[in-house]
Amino acid sequence: MTFVTPNASKIVILGDSGVGKTSLALRFTHNEFHDLELSTVGAKCFTKSVHVADKDVHFSIWDTAGQERFQSLAPIYYRNSRAAIIVYDITQKKSFHEAERWVDEMKRHGDEDLVIALIGNKSDLNEYREVKMKVAQEYALKNNLIFLETSAKTGEHVEDLFMKIAEMLPSVHAKIPENLDHNFGIVSISKLEEKEKRKEKKNCC
Amino acid sequence: MDHTFQKYQKEAQKLLNAKTRPHFPKHPQLLRKVTKEIGSLSTQANVQVSKLESLVNGYCQLAMDCLNNYEGLILKKEDKREADLILITNPKQIKIKTESLNENSNENSKKNLNENSKKNLNENLKENLNENLNENSNQNSNQNLNDNSNESQKESTITNENYLDSISESTREIDNKNMDENEVDDDDFIELDFSKDTFSFDKSRGRSERSSKKLKAKNKYEKLFQSQISKIRETPDLDLSLQRYLYEAEGVNQELNQFLNMYSLYQSNITKKKLKAEGPKIDTIQKFHQDISLTEIQHINLIFGLKMRKVAERKKKISTKNLNKREEKLNEKKQILNNETLKMKDEDVSWDGEMLSENVPREEQIQSIKTHINKIIGSEAHPISRALKRFKMRIQKNYNMDLKQAKKEIRIFCENSAQFLKENFAFFDESTKDVNRSRALIQNHLVKSIYEFLFPLYVQEFKKQNKIIENQLKKLENHTLADFKVRERFWLIPEKSDSVNENTENQELQIYQDPYIKAIVSFQTIPKLYSPIKKIKIILKIKDEIEEAITEFYKDKEIKPGYCDITADDNLQLFLYTFLKANIPSPYSEMQFLNDFIPEEYLLGELGFCLANYQSAVQFFVNKDQNERK
């Protein structure tokens, strides 16, 4: 509550209302879904640290309001963030279109180094699926996004999601000692690829 | 004769009557002389003395604070030590006062006389002492002690441990003799010390007067000596720790001396510059303090810096001792890791270990920084707190200051003072974390102290925006939770139970009370607070109070798990509702104020999230108005 470590990375969670943004953050930070004893779980800024590449990465996860009338307020929340998690509900096609809109917005207004992840939540409700995994995957590949299908209820892939984001964050590899050239090389190459892809995309547009 | 004379007489009597400090030197002769000196000086100078006195006291207090930080050897005897320190500082104060007085009366006095009188006095005192000692103890033991104490005094500046060793050796030698004598001898030598220090003021008396006084002083001294012995016999716990403790006091005394010398130099410079032309006036003295440049203060402050550095070194030593155990455990872990991983990654592991070991004392360091900065701001004499005062004065004068200019000046001031701290205090890390922290704390304090002048600038600057929001809030005055599209479960309407049918009027009043009244009331305290960090913490409190209200409402009711999960949407809606109902004055300038003065360190965490909530509430109402216009 007092001083947050200065090297904390801010992550913002975006998406339509009811896709499970808060429960996703809760599952990751407290590893719980519906807490039976405490009936209220306030929306806040969650914090957790992850150990990646021999380094602690501190996350400060900001939950946002998803309703349409609050969409104009989103820039207040997502500015200065290092990563954006855009969530949709696999049982609602409308939420996927909303996610696409968010991806466009973040590409336009976010930082150049911003890591974007597209997340299909509620993968435990496979029977009611409306958004095909292939469609989302192709979209993610096209836009160079991290893509995963998660379930906040069962906890499937939730940990993986944040680990992947931690690996992708530019700051994680920035301070590794120079002796570890091989590690550094891989990242820098992948980064270059990203930038090239972005340039290509810009040219297309 | 005079008011001051009586004052110093009282001080002298206090020194003489002090029962709890038998080991501490007492100089009745000196004090008497000092009082006579002061009595002979003019009343005009006395006014100045009192002014200077307060300043010196401020410095002494700061030095005391430094001492308190000292992780002393005798923490248990803190009370005693503090009392003694006051005693130590007293003669010094008197010295400074007399010096400053001398400067004023320099035109009349002659330096040659000073030197002569110094020598004479020294000789006299030594004779006195020797005679006394001859009467009461063996010459041999005296000589031994003489050697020991002289050596140790010379070495005292080198290290603590060496000195302590020498002291312990000396005490072992003396062990065969009576305890009483030892202690008394020690006292006397320190007394000599002090006499050397304090004989810098001028004496205008001839030898003839002195010879007659010599006899009187001798008699009185003998009495005092005997009384000391009796007092020491009453207190049996005089041992090595006391000697150590005396040594510490002495070390501090030396530092204080250095510092006071510098201070007197600085004071004399000022008096030379200004007093010659205008004569002594209180106003001019006040002006000097405003004119002090930072470099001069830096010079003075270096001594404190040194002190703090010593403290930091000690702390490091202690923390390393504590960490030794942890390091052992870490080493075990390292070995296991080494077995598992290749030798290539050795460096990696060791680096990781360092990270872990450093993590623990950091929190303590943060706390120490906080307390230290609070001390700095609290003390009157520290350069930063003085600069703060001057800054405040300047802002008070320039009432029509531009907001941009004010912000710029605040930023520059905070950066300068943080830089100043970084250069002068050892406990700052090389990294910028500590500097940022201290800057944030100083900024918060500065903004808080000039809030009355600063905030009106914000109100003026953002008049239009404030009006837009205030109009909007008026329009929506009667909006309910339902109008904000809050989910029905959070309306918190209590069910009417059958037993309440009687006294319905009272009940209805209670029923229609706002469920979130607590949060609204605390929201209304925001404009009353001056500190930006406290303001933002209120918003955090509001969020908690909303949650509390909901949990309390559903405490006894059976609900499905997850029924009361407050999502970000609910949170924002409820916050908007409290924002509307609280209806604080000039909310937009409040937002801008917070935006400018919440330190960056806070913005990533929970407080930053609160600020974002506030900002989005403001923007929500502004946008709503714009949309209606379209």
Side-chain angles (χ1 to χ4, degrees), chain B residues 129-143 145 177-178 180-182 184-186 188-189 225 229:
Chain B
L129 278 170
N130 280 329
E131 282 169 15
N132 284 325
L133 293 168
N134 285 337
E135 287 167 14
N136 290 309
S137 60
N138 297 326
Q139 277 190 344
N140 296 330
S141 66
N142 275 333
Q143 279 170 2
L145 266 168
K177 294 153 196 170
N178 292 328
D180 299 345
E181 279 177 12
N182 292 337
V184 174
D185 289 344
D186 263 13
D188 289 344
F189 286 114
F225 200 77
I229 288 170

Side-chain angles (χ1 to χ4, degrees), chain B residues 271-282:
Chain B
T271 44
K272 272 174 196 167
K273 276 180 195 168
K274 302 255 172 173
L275 281 183
K276 266 187 184 175
E278 300 171 27
K281 281 180 186 173
I282 300 167

Side-chain angles (χ1 to χ4, degrees), chain B residues 142-367:
Chain B
N142 275 333
Q143 279 170 2
N144 282 334
L145 266 168
N146 240 327
D147 294 337
N148 278 329
S149 60
N150 282 333
E151 277 173 20
S152 54
Q153 273 161 20
K154 282 171 192 169
E155 287 170 5
S156 63
T157 46
I158 303 168
T159 47
N160 295 338
E161 292 164 1
N162 286 339
Y163 184 72
L164 289 175
D165 289 341
S166 69
I167 282 180
S168 59
E169 279 173 18
S170 69
T171 47
R172 269 172 220 156
E173 282 176 23
I174 297 157
D175 268 343
N176 299 328
K177 294 153 196 170
N178 292 328
M179 275 294 288
D180 299 345
E181 279 177 12
N182 292 337
E183 291 302 328
V184 174
D185 289 344
D186 263 13
D187 289 347
D188 289 344
F189 286 114
I190 287 154
E191 210 162 327
L192 248 184
D193 243 29
F194 277 95
S195 65
K196 277 174 195 167
D197 286 339
T198 44
F199 274 138
S200 54
F201 44 79
D202 57 338
K203 270 85 202 176
S204 53
R205 278 180 215 88
R207 280 194 179 184
S208 56
E209 285 179 47
R210 230 167 263 148
S211 58
S212 64
K213 278 188 180 176
K214 202 175 164 184
L215 283 169
K216 286 183 188 173
K218 204 178 166 184
N219 288 331
K220 287 212 169 181
Y221 200 81
E222 275 175 17
K223 281 181 189 172
L224 210 144
F225 200 77
Q226 282 171 355
S227 65
Q228 273 192 350
I229 288 170
S230 62
K231 276 171 196 167
I232 286 163
R233 273 174 186 156
E234 284 167 15
T235 53
D237 65 335
L238 289 164
D239 54 351
L240 233 174
S241 64
L242 260 179
Q243 285 182 341
R244 279 182 195 174
Y245 148 46
L246 257 179
Y247 159 70
E248 268 211 353
E250 208 180 312
V252 172
N253 210 28
Q254 278 178 359
E255 282 201 7
L256 254 179
N257 238 340
Q258 271 185 327
F259 160 66
L260 289 176
N261 279 337
M262 287 184 75
Y263 180 73
S264 65
L265 259 177
Y266 148 73
Q267 202 72 29
S268 68
N269 280 333
I270 286 169
T271 44
K272 272 174 196 167
K273 276 180 195 168
K274 302 255 172 173
L275 281 183
K276 266 187 184 175
E278 300 171 27
K281 281 180 186 173
I282 300 167
D283 293 359
T284 50
I285 294 169
Q286 282 177 345
K287 273 184 187 174
F288 305 150
H289 301 313
Q290 287 170 23
D291 296 340
I292 303 164
S293 62
L294 253 182
T295 48
E296 269 179 308
I297 296 164
Q298 267 181 346
H299 212 52
I300 292 169
N301 208 48
L302 264 178
I303 295 162
F304 288 121
L306 283 171
K307 188 89 201 168
M308 293 313 292
R309 234 161 257 166
K310 277 182 189 172
V311 174
E313 277 166 19
R314 278 196 181 190
K315 274 189 180 173
K316 270 181 191 172
K317 276 182 189 173
I318 289 162
S319 60
T320 44
K321 276 177 195 171
N322 290 335
L323 284 171
N324 275 338
K325 288 176 188 174
R326 282 197 193 107
E327 274 172 14
E328 280 173 18
K329 282 181 188 174
L330 276 172
N331 280 331
E332 285 172 18
K333 278 185 188 175
K334 271 183 208 171
Q335 282 178 353
I336 296 162
L337 277 167
N338 279 337
N339 292 333
E340 286 175 357
T341 55
L342 295 170
K343 285 179 183 177
M344 287 281 287
K345 286 186 178 178
D346 254 1
E347 291 173 1
D348 238 3
V349 176
S350 66
W351 180 72
D352 196 43
E354 273 175 27
M355 283 288 287
L356 281 171
S357 62
E358 274 176 359
N359 275 341
V360 181
R362 278 252 13 109
E363 285 169 19
E364 291 166 19
Q365 279 181 16
I366 289 166
Q367 266 302 321

Side-chain angles (χ1 to χ4, degrees), chain B residues 33-45:
Chain B
K33 274 165 193 167
V34 168
T35 47
K36 278 184 183 174
E37 284 288 329
I38 287 162
S40 67
L41 281 161
S42 66
T43 48
Q44 254 199 354

Side-chain angles (χ1 to χ4, degrees), chain A residues 1 3-4 8 34 36 39-44 54 60 62-67 69 72-73 76-77 79 179, chain B residues 347-348 351 484 540 543 547 550-551 561-562 564-566 568-569 573 603-605 608-609 613 615-616 619 623:
Chain A
M1 206 189 91
F3 286 111
V4 175
H34 286 308
L36 294 167
S39 58
T40 55
V41 182
K44 356 168 169 170
D54 288 325
S60 161
W62 288 34
D63 195 7
T64 62
Q67 285 180 11
R69 61 200 186 112
S72 61
L73 308 177
I76 293 168
Y77 292 92
R79 70 173 164 220
N179 303 340
Chain B
E347 291 173 1
D348 238 3
W351 180 72
F484 275 98
L540 191 69
K543 211 182 63 184
E547 280 174 33
I550 292 165
T551 39
C564 282
D565 280 1
I566 304 169
D569 290 279
Q573 284 159 355
L603 284 182
L604 277 179
F609 191 71
N613 271 344
Q615 283 170 340
S616 53
Q619 204 179 320
N623 283 353

Side-chain angles (χ1 to χ4, degrees), chain A residues 162-198:
Chain A
F162 285 93
M163 293 301 272
K164 267 195 177 178
I165 287 170
E167 281 167 15
M168 292 287 282
L169 284 176
S171 68
V172 173
H173 300 283
K175 283 176 187 173
I176 279 181
E178 289 175 0
N179 303 340
L180 302 167
D181 275 331
H182 53 281
N183 232 344
F184 199 70
I186 290 164
V187 176
S188 58
I189 287 164
S190 64
K191 249 185 162 182
L192 278 175
E193 281 173 358
E194 273 179 48
K195 279 185 182 174
E196 279 173 10
K197 276 180 186 173
R198 268 189 196 177

Side-chain angles (χ1 to χ4, degrees), chain A residues 6-108:
Chain A
N7 54 349
S9 309
K10 181 173 153 187
I11 296 179
V12 66
I13 304 183
L14 302 164
D16 203 5
S17 60
V19 296
K21 298 185 292 293
T22 309
S23 36
L24 199 68
L26 258 180
R27 167 60 79 184
F28 173 61
T29 51
H30 298 284
N31 199 22
E32 61 197 27
F33 188 59
H34 286 308
D35 200 341
L36 294 167
E37 289 173 8
L38 285 166
S39 58
T40 55
V41 182
K44 356 168 169 170
C45 146
F46 303 94
T47 51
K48 192 173 179 177
S49 51
V50 166
H51 199 75
V52 174
D54 288 325
K55 204 183 168 184
D56 286 326
V57 182
H58 302 282
F59 284 138
S60 161
I61 303 161
W62 288 34
D63 195 7
T64 62
Q67 285 180 11
E68 246 189 68
R69 61 200 186 112
F70 295 139
Q71 270 171 17
S72 61
L73 308 177
I76 293 168
Y77 292 92
Y78 68 63
R79 70 173 164 220
N80 293 330
S81 59
R82 312 289 283 283
I85 299 173
I86 294 161
V87 189
Y88 69 91
D89 184 353
I90 64 162
T91 63
Q92 280 185 322
K93 205 154 199 182
K94 188 198 145 209
S95 71
F96 183 69
H97 293 307
E98 194 67 12
E100 283 176 332
R101 199 191 61 73
W102 279 118
V103 170
D104 286 344
E105 187 171 339
M106 291 316 289
K107 289 247 163 184
R108 245 182 285 136

